[in-house]
Amino acid sequence: MSRPPSGSHEDAAQAALRRVRREGRWWWAQAWHARRIWRWALLAAAVFLLLVVLRAPLANWFWNEPQVEQLLDRGDRALAAGRLSAADGTGAREWYQAALALDNDRSQARSGLARTGQAALQQARIAVQADDLDAAQQALDLARELQVPQRDADAVAQLLRARQHTGAGFGVLLGRAEAALQAGRLDGSADSALPLFQQVLALAPTHLRALEGREDALSELLLQARTAADAGDVVRAAPLLQRARLFDAGHVDLPASEAALNSALERRLLLGQQALRGGRLESAAGHFQAVLVARPDEASAQQGMQQVRDALLAEATRLAGDFRFGPAEQALARARELGTAESSLKAAQQALQQARLAQRALTTRNAPRAGREQTLQSLLERFNDAQAQGRFLTPPGDSAYDALREAQALAPQDPRVRAAAGRLLPATQECFEDRLRENRVQAAGECLAAWRALGRDDAALATARLRLGQRWLALGSERLGRGEVGFAQGALQQAAALGVPRTAPEYQSLQKRLHDVGALR
């Protein structure tokens, strides 16, 4: 069997090797081509994801960039023109702040604000030199708002204060204050020591001579307050203390001065109560009034004044009963001066008028019998007419009660007179109940006064007075809710005059509400 030549074997091997290499390169080429496709796909996916994630910042950049640049340009132009700030938003500060609002990382905007602050500081310096102190203060305030260095702002502020001192005659003002202190003119006018020292300290809050001068003036003022309090002159001591407190509420002498005033007020209250118990009404009124001038909300003094008013009314009624009309009128006038409620005054005036009628009737009793009978008949007719019309106590001189009292003085045992008196009391009581039911408290008060004037001051009358006082409080509370402060004030006074205790819950409630709205001090 013949074998092929060795050369042909080698050729076949080489051909096979070349085929294998060729096929391997094709596979590799196919793999390389596939990897390129995947790389481009991954890159496209990454770009897509970036666009999704950064779409808002990119959009803001594309849209805001021109607008920010425009704002910065306007800020630069406003700064160059010296228009640092404007209420209409066209100042450099406003333009730069608007740019920062759109892009808070923009360094040009922050730099612009810093340059605006320095420009404001320079404007303040120039305004100080030109004596335009208001403009200098405004520019300095702007520089501080833009956070210029503290030392630079303080230096300009010191220049401004120095120029203010010079312009205001600082030295002259301080000299006037010290001269007023030496002369003892501490307070009470614009050229006295304390107001002048206050003006100096407004320009230079830490000025040592001014602070020491004000301290000396206040010490002297408080010494005067304590001296007046020790002498019982609370009317003088209280305002001195109040003025000192306004100038320096932390003065070291204030506590001792306040303690002296409180002691003096307590002494005046005690003296007033002693005078009241001794029947010295004018002295008592003087003490209570002094306390109320110093402390308008002092409850003990208010109560004492009410007792003085009631005592004056009682005295007027007693004097009228003795036909001492002059002193009775004086007591009534004094009660009015002290602020007695109108309803209480009306009752006392009625008693005075009745006493005058009674005196006239006594004079008539000495007339001839025929004349007395005719007069009596006329009085009874007047009584009947007035009673039928509900005129029990008013008008004075033409009321049923006036006619009855005059008839009683003329013929007290006459059966017709006694019968008239018997009819009048139930009528006044019925009148009171009717008017109270209708909430006509003024008219109910008149009926109550007629009831009392008939001389039946018993438990039923006391209960009726208390009911009327409580009705006044209820109406006062209702009207105060509608804004009728004056009516509520009058209602509180009426309730007190009718004997409602000041400790009663309804009284204290209305009193507190009036105090809350500033109607009571």
Side-chain angles (χ1 to χ4, degrees):
M1 183 173 182
S2 62
R3 299 168 67 176
S6 59
S8 61
H9 284 291
E10 292 176 357
D11 291 339
Q14 289 294 332
L17 180 61
R18 284 195 298 270
R19 187 170 58 253
V20 169
R21 285 177 178 173
R22 186 168 57 251
E23 290 174 353
R25 283 196 301 270
W26 176 86
W27 175 86
W28 180 87
Q30 292 295 326
W32 181 83
H33 181 66
R35 283 198 298 271
R36 285 185 59 192
I37 292 174
W38 279 107
R39 286 184 186 134
W40 281 110
L42 288 172
L43 179 62
V47 170
F48 177 76
L49 287 174
L50 285 174
L51 289 175
V52 170
V53 173
L54 300 177
R55 66 185 184 280
L58 288 173
N60 289 338
W61 186 83
F62 279 114
W63 285 104
N64 288 343
E65 182 66 19
Q67 190 175 2
V68 170
E69 291 295 337
Q70 186 179 29
L71 291 171
L72 290 172
D73 180 63
R74 290 179 178 178
D76 292 340
R77 281 186 278 132
L79 180 59
R83 194 171 64 256
L84 306 184
S85 182
D88 61 358
T90 60
R93 173 174 66 169
E94 290 74 26
W95 292 126
Y96 289 135
Q97 287 176 338
L100 272 179
L102 291 177
D103 185 357
N104 57 8
D105 293 327
R106 186 60 63 101
S107 61
Q108 297 95 318
R110 298 186 186 281
S111 173
L113 285 174
R115 287 185 286 116
T116 304
Q118 290 297 327
L121 209 57
Q122 183 61 25
Q123 281 190 2
R125 294 190 188 95
I126 295 172
V128 169
Q129 296 301 321
D131 282 334
D132 191 354
L133 303 186
D134 290 339
Q137 185 64 61
Q138 293 176 5
L140 180 60
D141 291 342
L142 176 60
R144 289 190 187 277
E145 290 173 10
L146 294 174
Q147 300 180 350
V148 299
Q150 184 70 31
R151 62 180 182 278
D152 297 341
D154 288 346
V156 175
Q158 187 174 0
L159 291 174
L160 178 59
R161 281 197 299 271
R163 187 56 60 91
Q164 287 173 332
H165 296 168
T166 303
F170 183 82
V172 174
L173 195 61
L174 180 60
R176 288 173 56 200
E178 293 174 336
L181 176 60
Q182 291 296 324
R185 291 184 287 105
L186 305 178
D187 193 21
S189 63
D191 61 345
S192 53
L194 282 168
L196 290 172
F197 279 126
Q198 202 72 1
Q199 292 182 46
V200 173
L201 290 171
L203 298 174
T206 60
H207 194 280
L208 184 58
R209 282 173 56 191
L211 288 171
E212 291 176 345
R214 186 183 68 171
E215 178 74 14
D216 293 341
L218 284 173
S219 296
E220 179 61 28
L221 191 70
L222 289 171
L223 176 61
Q224 293 181 7
R226 292 194 299 275
T227 302
D230 292 340
D233 190 358
V234 295
V235 174
R236 172 171 165 74
L240 291 176
L241 196 63
Q242 183 179 8
R243 288 290 294 172
R245 192 182 295 111
L246 289 175
F247 285 111
D248 184 4
H251 195 277
V252 66
D253 291 336
L254 263 177
S257 304
E258 290 175 343
L261 177 60
N262 290 334
S263 297
L265 290 171
E266 291 176 1
R267 289 196 302 272
R268 293 300 293 267
L269 281 172
L270 181 61
L271 291 172
Q273 292 162 358
Q274 291 174 348
L276 183 60
R277 287 194 295 270
R280 301 187 307 276
L281 301 183
E282 281 300 322
S283 176
H287 288 300
F288 292 137
Q289 281 181 315
V291 173
L292 288 173
V293 170
R295 295 273 176 80
D297 57 348
E298 178 59 51
S300 298
Q302 292 174 348
Q303 184 177 4
M305 281 301 300
Q306 185 59 47
Q307 291 173 333
V308 170
R309 298 185 193 105
D310 293 342
L312 284 169
L313 291 176
E315 183 179 9
T317 303
R318 180 182 60 79
L319 291 169
D322 294 338
F323 298 154
R324 297 173 61 189
F325 301 119
E329 290 281 4
Q330 292 176 2
L332 203 59
R334 182 58 176 153
R336 181 181 290 105
E337 291 174 2
L338 295 178
T340 302
E342 192 61 34
S343 60
S344 300
L345 286 172
K346 186 181 294 184
Q349 289 169 336
Q350 185 68 36
L352 184 61
Q353 180 65 26
Q354 291 161 1
R356 293 185 188 277
L357 293 173
Q359 185 187 46
R360 188 188 312 160
L362 288 174
T363 304
T364 307
R365 290 179 63 181
N366 297 324
R369 183 178 182 82
R372 288 205 311 273
E373 176 61 27
Q374 184 177 1
T375 301
L376 180 59
Q377 186 65 34
S378 176
L379 290 171
L380 291 173
E381 290 176 0
R382 280 172 48 198
F383 170 83
N384 291 330
D385 291 342
Q387 182 183 359
Q389 297 175 21
R391 293 185 283 108
F392 299 107
L393 273 182
T394 57
D398 196 25
S399 67
Y401 183 74
D402 291 331
L404 177 62
R405 287 295 297 269
E406 198 167 345
Q408 287 175 328
L410 182 63
Q413 300 303 322
D414 190 291
R416 294 169 295 175
V417 175
R418 296 175 67 180
R423 294 196 306 273
L424 184 58
L425 180 59
T428 58
Q429 294 171 334
E430 183 180 356
C431 169
F432 171 77
E433 295 295 342
D434 290 342
R435 302 296 88 78
L436 192 65
R437 191 164 42 250
E438 297 165 356
N439 275 339
R440 296 171 55 191
V441 286
Q442 290 281 8
E446 294 177 1
C447 299
L448 187 67
W451 181 352
R452 182 180 182 183
L454 287 173
R456 305 294 180 88
D457 197 358
D458 53 12
L461 179 60
T463 301
R465 284 169 52 82
L466 185 60
R467 289 172 57 204
L468 180 58
Q470 292 169 336
R471 186 62 58 87
W472 270 108
L473 290 175
L475 286 176
S477 180
E478 177 187 339
R479 296 284 189 89
L480 182 59
R482 290 186 281 177
E484 299 181 32
V485 178
F487 184 92
Q489 288 175 310
L492 194 68
Q493 294 174 355
Q494 292 283 358
L498 288 166
V500 176
R502 295 176 185 270
T503 56
E506 58 269 31
Y507 185 96
Q508 292 189 341
S509 174
L510 181 57
Q511 187 179 45
K512 182 180 183 303
R513 290 176 61 194
L514 285 169
H515 186 274
D516 291 343
V517 299
L520 293 178
R521 292 185 298 174

